[in-house]
């Protein structure tokens, strides 16, 4: 029980729900017993609590078009209004829960509760436990994390490649540094020679200045040409890489399976249709259970002499007894007297119809699971298609921009070549007009300076690459750490479903052992759940799914044990098994964290002494345990428990 959220009491106001006209009463924390005979609105009161908490499994009184319930608890007020409109019941208000799914399955344990009935009807127990888990959402999260992990792995692979390049770049840097030192030494020697020869040669300052300016212009243009060549090579490499990636993206796009237009919309429409069918069938089951329960109560009341007490006089009573068989009951629909076995036969048919309808609901659940899987596949394909189309557009744009830059750089390179040729011709003319040997030295020095500039540019480029790689490598530990975190998150999500399954099975087996011992079912050695893997068909595929198998172990008086089936259990044993299965789901999904109530009804198949022990056992798991019991069964429970006898 969540003691931090426990409240001392709740005040419930009800009008026109089930068979209740109007009432207000208090539900105490701990155990509250609704004590009375059949047809005294105990189930209607439980439905009222369910409605206030957010459940849709409540009905409006037959002679009313609107019902209302209000629950004051913990200083907060929660309301719910039900209205009959166009043959359906519509709800409004501010209930305790936004989503009542887990409470409907594992906390509101009335006779029609699907989890209880799943054991009795041998339904798919695993699907019941896992229904509140949005497996589609979990798979979507896993897919997103897988995409992020792939990106991180690509980045880490790139870092490994860069790491492998680093030694060669460092070696290239050393070679360039040595070459620069050699060129600098060679240039210093040449400049010294030029300076010596300058002292011996008479040359006009104007001629010398013109030569130096021309040579400087030549150096500048050669440097520009080298830069243009380098940029052109870089863009050409980039273009090749983009074209390769574009081809890979196009191949991936071509390999995508064909998805007909509107296929996803059709699946969504089918899912909505099946959900509506399921909701309709669930409503039908609830109505059938209400009718079955009412008729069973009617039969019990007839057996207890209730209708005899309603006769207006002793004389009319004697006449009625003379005219009617001893086992007649007044029909609640038409008011005529019918034999009890006719109603019993009708009830049996209704029970068979209820079981068939529950089976139909299970079939719809299986079909819904198949459609949800198809929807997830289509959505994944659509996301992949959109991502590839987006990347295709990006690559086409990048390729176009790169081709434009290549064309511009090629034109720039050709223009520089022409300009250099013109400047070289000017230098040749100056050589004819000046001391040829000195000019040759200047030209050689100019070439050395150009070569030195190219080497220094190459060195700068290499050092930039080394620096960039070292900065990228600094990210390696963070990327690896994030990838490890993602691996943990993926594992956590992948095991979430298995963990809930395991918790439910362990909880069921543990509680079942304790309860069997507490309730002292002599001929049952053990009832336990086992999680197994089975190959099932989903659409056109065969997939492996986990299944919960229920094992019943009997023990003879001689001590021999053998396995039996659920159908051979007594009604009392089946009801207890269903309740323990619901408790296992309640604990596995931690329902006590979201709703403070647990409701129990229709325990008549269990004897009074065992009911008392079972209620005491359940009391430890909820702030409010509200139990509907017959008067004689309620007498077996502790007198200290809060009781409601008038509704």
């Amino acid at each position: 029980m969540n003691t931090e959220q426990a409240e001392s009491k709740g005040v419930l106001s009800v009008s026109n729900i089930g068979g209740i006209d109007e009432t207000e009463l208090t539900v105490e924390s701990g155990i509250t017993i609704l004590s009375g005979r059949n047809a005294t609105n105990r189930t209607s009161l439980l439905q009222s609590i369910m409605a206030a908490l957010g459940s849709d499994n409540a009905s409006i009184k037959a002679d009313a078009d609107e019902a209302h319930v209000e629950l004051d608890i913990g200083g907060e007020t929660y309301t719910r209004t039900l209205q009959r409109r166009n043959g359906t019941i519509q709800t409004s208000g501010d209930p305790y829960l936004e989503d009542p799914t887990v409470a409907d399955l594992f906390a509101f344990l009335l006779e029609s509760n699907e989890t209880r009935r799943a054991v009795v009807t041998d339904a798919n127990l695993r699907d019941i436990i896992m229904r509140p888990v949005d497996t589609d959402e979990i798979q979507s999260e896993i897919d997103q994390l897988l995409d992020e992990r792939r990106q991180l792995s690509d980045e880490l692979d790139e870092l490994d490649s860069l790491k492998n390049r680093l030694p060669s770049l460092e070696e290239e840097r050393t070679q360039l540094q040595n070459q620069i030192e050699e060129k600098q030494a060679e240039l210093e020697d040449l400049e010294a020679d030029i300076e010596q020869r300058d002292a011996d040669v008479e040359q006009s300052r104007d001629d010398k200045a013109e030569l130096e300016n021309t040579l400087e212009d030549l150096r500048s243009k050669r440097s520009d040409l080298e830069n243009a060549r380098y940029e052109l090579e870089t863009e050409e490499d980039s273009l090749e890489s983009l074209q390769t990636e574009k081809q890979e993206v196009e191949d991936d796009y071509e390999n995508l399976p064909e998805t007909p237009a509107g296929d996803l919309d059709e699946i969504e429409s089918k899912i909505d249709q099946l959900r509506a069918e399921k909701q309709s069938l669930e409503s039908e089951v609830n109505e059938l259970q209400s009718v079955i329960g009412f008729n069973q109560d009617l039969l019990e009341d007839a057996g207890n002499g209730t209708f005899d007490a309603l006769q207006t006089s002793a004389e009319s009573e004697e006449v009625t007894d003379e005219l009617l068989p001893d086992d007649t009951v007044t029909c609640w629909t038409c008011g005529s007297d019918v034999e009890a076995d006719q109603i019993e036969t009708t009830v049996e048919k209704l029970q068979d119809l209820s079981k068939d309808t529950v089976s139909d609901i299970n079939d719809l659940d299986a079909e819904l699971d198949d459609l949800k899987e198809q929807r997830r596949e289509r959505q994944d394909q659509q996301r992949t298609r959109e991502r590839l189309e987006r990347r295709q557009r990006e690559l086409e744009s990048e390729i176009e921009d790169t081709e434009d830059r290549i064309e511009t750089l090629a034109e720039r390179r050709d223009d520089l070549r022409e300009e250099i040729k013109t400047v070289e011709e000017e230098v040749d003319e100056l050589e004819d007009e000046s001391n040829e040997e000195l000019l040759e030295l200047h030209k050689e020095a100019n070439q050395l300076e150009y070569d030195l500039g190219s080497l220094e540019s190459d060195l700068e480029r290499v050092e930039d690459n080394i620096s960039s790689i070292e900065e990228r490598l600094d990210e390696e530990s963070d990327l690896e750490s994030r990838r490890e975190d993602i691996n943990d998150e993926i594992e956590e999500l992948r095991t979430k479903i298995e963990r809930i399954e395991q918790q439910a099975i362990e909880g069921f087996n543990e509680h079942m052992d304790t309860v069997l011992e507490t309730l002292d079912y002599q001929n049952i050695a053990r009832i336990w759940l086992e999680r197994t893997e089975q190959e099932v068909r989903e659409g056109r595929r065969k997939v492996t799914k986990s299944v919960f198998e229920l094992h019943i172990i009997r023990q003879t008086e001689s001590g021999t044990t053998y396995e039996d089936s659920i159908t051979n259990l007594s009604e009392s044993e089946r009801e207890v098994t269903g309740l323990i299965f619901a408790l296992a789901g309640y604990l596995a999904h931690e329902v006590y964290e979201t709703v403070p109530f647990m409701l129990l009804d229709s325990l008549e198949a269990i004897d009074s002494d065992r009911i008392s022990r079972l209620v005491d056992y359940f009391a430890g798991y909820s702030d409010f345990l509200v139990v509907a019991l017959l008067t004689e069964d309620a007498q077996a429970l502790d007198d200290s428990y809060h009781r409601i006898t008038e509704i």
Side-chain angles (χ1 to χ4, degrees), residues 343-362:
I343 295 182
E344 290 172 352
T345 300
T346 302
V347 168
E348 289 175 0
K349 291 180 179 178
L350 290 173
Q351 288 173 331
D352 290 340
L353 178 59
S354 177
K355 290 178 182 179
D356 291 342
T357 306
V358 170
S359 177
D360 291 341
I361 291 173
N362 292 334

Side-chain angles (χ1 to χ4, degrees), residues 64 74 97-98 125 134 158 160 228 244 345 403 424 432 519 596 620:
L97 298 171
E98 290 184 7
L125 302 183
D134 191 341
E158 183 182 354
D160 285 338
T244 300
T345 300
E403 288 175 341
E424 286 177 341
D432 293 339
L519 302 187

